[in-house]
Amino acid sequence: MDENTELTIKQKDLVTLVSKNGIGDVLKPLQKEIYLFDTYVAGTSHLEDKEVLKTLQINDQLILRREDNKFDKKAILVLTQDQKKIGYVPEKDNVVFSRLMDAGKLLTAKILNISEKGTYTHISIGIYLIDF
C-alpha cells in the first residue's frame, strides 16, 4: 500500500503531534457536537466584573463547568474561553445537564443571541454534548 494514501497515523507521528499540539488537536477530528437544548445565562446582573459581558459575541464558544454551590447542588457555571465567569445555566434547566456532566460527559455552549434589557444583559445559549 502506498504510504501517501494510508489512513493510519504512525506512532512516532502521533507522539510528535501530541507533544507539539496537545491531545485536543488529535481528538478534534473525532468529535461531534450534538445539540441538546436552548436556554439563557442566569445571574448576569450579579457579576462582579460586568466588563466581560461587553466582550461577548454571537457564536462564541462557552465552557460549562460544575460548581460546588450551597444554593444549588446542580449548579453549572458558564465561562468564556478565557475562564471568565458570565453566569450559570438556570436552575430550572440544569437537572439533566448536571447528571450528564457528573457521569463524565463533556458539555459546551454557544452564544445564540445577546440583548440588553435595561441594566440586564440577556444571553441566549445553545447547549451541546461533545461526543467522540
Side-chain angles (χ1 to χ4, degrees):
M1 177 177 267
D2 182 10
E3 285 188 34
N4 294 330
T5 61
E6 205 171 317
L7 293 177
T8 58
I9 297 175
K10 295 188 178 7
Q11 189 167 358
K12 66 178 183 168
D13 295 337
L14 182 61
V15 170
T16 302
L17 184 62
V18 170
S19 62
K20 284 184 180 178
N21 302 316
I23 192 74
D25 286 346
V26 174
L27 296 177
K28 274 184 186 174
L30 305 175
Q31 75 184 26
K32 60 183 174 182
E33 290 181 339
I34 301 170
Y35 165 77
L36 298 176
F37 192 72
D38 286 344
T39 188
Y40 62 94
V41 178
T44 58
S45 57
H46 301 289
L47 291 174
E48 290 179 23
D49 178 16
K50 292 186 182 187
E51 290 298 309
V52 68
L53 299 175
K54 295 176 183 174
T55 66
L56 301 176
Q57 296 182 7
I58 293 174
N59 291 324
D60 279 359
Q61 193 82 23
L62 301 172
I63 298 167
L64 300 180
R65 181 181 303 147
R66 289 283 275 125
E67 180 185 68
D68 185 19
N69 186 307
K70 66 181 178 180
F71 301 108
D72 180 6
K73 298 286 186 213
K74 296 170 183 61
I76 301 172
L77 270 171
V78 181
L79 306 163
T80 63
Q81 285 295 309
D82 55 350
Q83 307 286 322
K84 293 184 179 175
K85 178 180 172 180
I86 61 170
Y88 293 89
V89 171
E91 186 174 4
K92 68 179 183 63
D93 295 335
N94 69 12
V95 174
V96 172
F97 302 127
S98 64
R99 288 180 183 165
L100 285 168
M101 293 175 84
D102 291 348
K105 301 299 182 188
L106 177 60
L107 299 182
T108 188
K110 274 186 205 165
I111 297 177
L112 303 175
N113 193 25
I114 303 168
S115 59
E116 300 293 327
K117 297 186 178 184
T119 59
Y120 172 71
T121 302
H122 182 82
I123 304 167
S124 299
I125 60 172
I127 296 180
Y128 298 82
L129 171 70
I130 304 299
D131 191 29
F132 296 95

